Amino acid sequence: MGVLPPVAPSVGTTERVRLGRDYYVRVAGNDYSVDPAVIGRLVDVHAGLTVVTVRCGGAVVAVHDRCWSSHQTITVPTHVATA
């Protein structure tokens, strides 16, 4: 058995998408809400094993617990109020 690497490997997926008018991003068949203030901008979506994080220009604009079901819509009430 070999030695562990000095830095832990990255787990999950990361992609860059343009946030649409509906202010949701799709990850593995589920829709997660994002702060509507960044509609039309490129956002980085990282889906780890337990958390989905969305960043725009380095700032976090959404954090959700990862849902392992499919066809679910996960919404933060403040995103709806802002929209």
Side-chain angles (χ1 to χ4, degrees):
M1 185 142 111
V3 178
L4 291 174
V7 178
S10 177
V11 177
T13 61
T14 301
E15 63 180 311
R16 178 171 280 184
V17 298
R18 187 170 304 278
L19 186 62
R21 288 186 193 183
D22 65 350
Y23 60 90
Y24 284 86
V25 293
R26 179 158 291 172
V27 175
N30 295 318
D31 295 327
Y32 296 89
S33 68
V34 178
D35 186 352
V38 296
I39 288 175
R41 296 178 62 189
L42 290 174
V43 294
D44 297 313
V45 183
H46 177 76
L49 295 176
T50 59
V51 176
V52 173
T53 306
V54 183
R55 296 177 186 270
C56 182
V60 175
V61 291
V63 176
H64 296 278
D65 290 334
R66 176 108 186 234
C67 178
W68 287 97
S69 300
S70 60
H71 307 294
Q72 303 296 311
T73 302
I74 297 88
T75 304
V76 173
T78 56
H79 294 163
V80 176
T82 303

